[in-house]
Amino acid sequence: MSKLHISYNQIHESIRQSVDRYHINDNFKPDLMIAIGGGGFIPARMLRTFLKKTERGNIPIQAIGLSLYEELANAGGEEKPGTQVQKTQWLNFGASHSEISLLGRRILIVDEVDDTRTTLAYAVEELKKDVEAEEIRRGMKPGESNTTFGVFVLHNKIKPKKRDLPEDIMKNYFAAVEMPDQWLVYPWDAVDIESHTELANKNA
Ligand code: 5GP
C-alpha cells in the first residue's frame, strides 16, 4: 500500500480550513471535545485553536482510550477474523463525585483517521449508552437531554467501511481531508521529524 507522509503544518492548515468550510463555529458549535487516544489528542488540541470559546472559556478536551484488535469469531462453525474494540480508558462524567455531566452538551468526538470506521462506531455507541444511563439516573427519559454528538477526523479514507455511523451523527460528520485508501504517516510517529517533514513537503 502506498504511504503518504503528512506534516504538522499541513495538519494545522487542513484543520483551519475545515472549520471554515463546515462552519463548525456557526453550525455545530461544540462545547466539549472527546479525543480518542492517542491519535486524536494532537488534532483535538489544534482544532481548539480554531473553535470559538464558550462563555465558560476554552472548550474542554476529555480523553478516551480505545484499541482495535482482530478476534477470531466463530460464525457458523467457520473461523473468520472480526474486528473488536476495547476500552483502555474512559470518562468518569456523571459519576457521583463528578461535577461534569454529558447531558445537554454538544460533543465533538475527535480522532486522526476514519479508516474502517470500527473505532468511531464503537465510541459513538458507548458514549450514547453513557448519556442514556445518566438520563435515566437523573429521572429523565432516554433522549430527553438533547445531547448532540458530532465527529471530527483529520482524514477520512474513501473506501467501503466495516461499520456505519448513525444518521444523526453523519449530519455532524466533519473530515478535514477526504483521501483515497493509503497508509498515512503522521508526524507524531516520526523518529526523524526533519526528514519526515521533507517527505511530506515533497508530496504536497
Ligand atoms: P478504524 O479502522 O477503526 O477506522 O481505525 C482504527 C485506527 O487504526 C485509527 O484510529 C488509527 O490509529 C489506525 N489507522 C488506520 N489507518 C491508519 C493510517 O493510514 N495511518 C495510521 N498511522 N494509523 C491508521
Side-chain angles (χ1 to χ4, degrees):
M1 190 188 267
S2 67
K3 278 189 189 176
L4 184 69
H5 289 70
I6 297 152
S7 72
Y8 282 115
N9 283 9
Q10 287 163 350
I11 292 169
H12 208 93
E13 186 55 14
S14 304
I15 293 177
R16 186 189 68 75
Q17 287 174 3
S18 64
V19 169
D20 282 350
R21 191 168 74 249
Y22 291 112
H23 305 286
I24 295 176
N25 283 314
D26 303 310
N27 297 341
F28 187 67
K29 296 187 201 145
D31 59 10
L32 172 67
M33 277 189 273
I34 296 181
I36 304 178
F41 294 164
I42 297 173
R45 181 56 190 87
M46 284 178 170
L47 176 59
R48 185 162 81 177
T49 298
F50 302 106
L51 295 178
K52 244 192 236 150
K53 290 183 183 184
T54 67
E55 66 271 18
R56 277 182 276 191
N58 272 327
I59 295 170
I61 303 172
Q62 297 290 326
I64 57 175
L66 295 176
S67 77
L68 197 64
Y69 65 97
E70 293 286 314
E71 193 194 54
L72 278 182
N74 200 323
E78 192 187 316
E79 295 267 307
K80 59 173 196 182
T83 316
Q84 296 289 321
V85 188
Q86 208 167 27
K87 286 180 184 173
T88 56
Q89 188 193 336
W90 206 250
L91 307 169
N92 67 351
F93 277 37
S96 53
H97 57 276
S98 167
E99 287 175 15
I100 323 169
S101 162
L102 290 174
L103 301 191
R105 294 276 197 144
R106 305 186 58 80
I107 303 165
L108 197 54
I109 300 166
V110 182
D111 208 354
E112 88 278 46
V113 56
D114 176 351
D115 181 26
T116 63
R117 206 160 270 178
T118 309
T119 307
L120 285 168
Y122 179 86
V124 165
E125 214 169 71
E126 291 298 308
L127 288 166
K128 282 191 161 191
K129 276 189 214 161
D130 281 4
V131 167
E132 204 172 301
E134 197 184 336
E135 285 169 332
I136 290 166
R137 220 170 30 243
R138 291 175 190 247
M140 299 165 99
K141 289 193 205 101
E144 199 181 331
S145 68
N146 251 334
T147 309
T148 312
F149 286 101
V151 164
F152 182 96
V153 289
L154 285 179
H155 299 110
N156 175 34
K157 296 192 198 171
I158 302 159
K159 62 191 278 186
K161 304 290 185 182
K162 286 192 185 162
R163 297 275 318 261
D164 290 323
L165 290 171
E167 247 174 64
D168 59 310
I169 303 287
M170 288 311 288
K171 281 188 201 144
N172 298 308
Y173 176 91
F174 314 110
V177 184
E178 304 272 350
M179 287 267 166
D181 192 10
Q182 61 199 308
W183 187 254
L184 305 170
V185 187
Y186 289 103
W188 43 84
D189 286 322
V191 176
D192 179 348
I193 192 64
E194 297 295 342
S195 60
H196 176 99
T197 310
E198 248 174 60
L199 279 171
N201 289 339
K202 249 187 243 162
N203 286 329

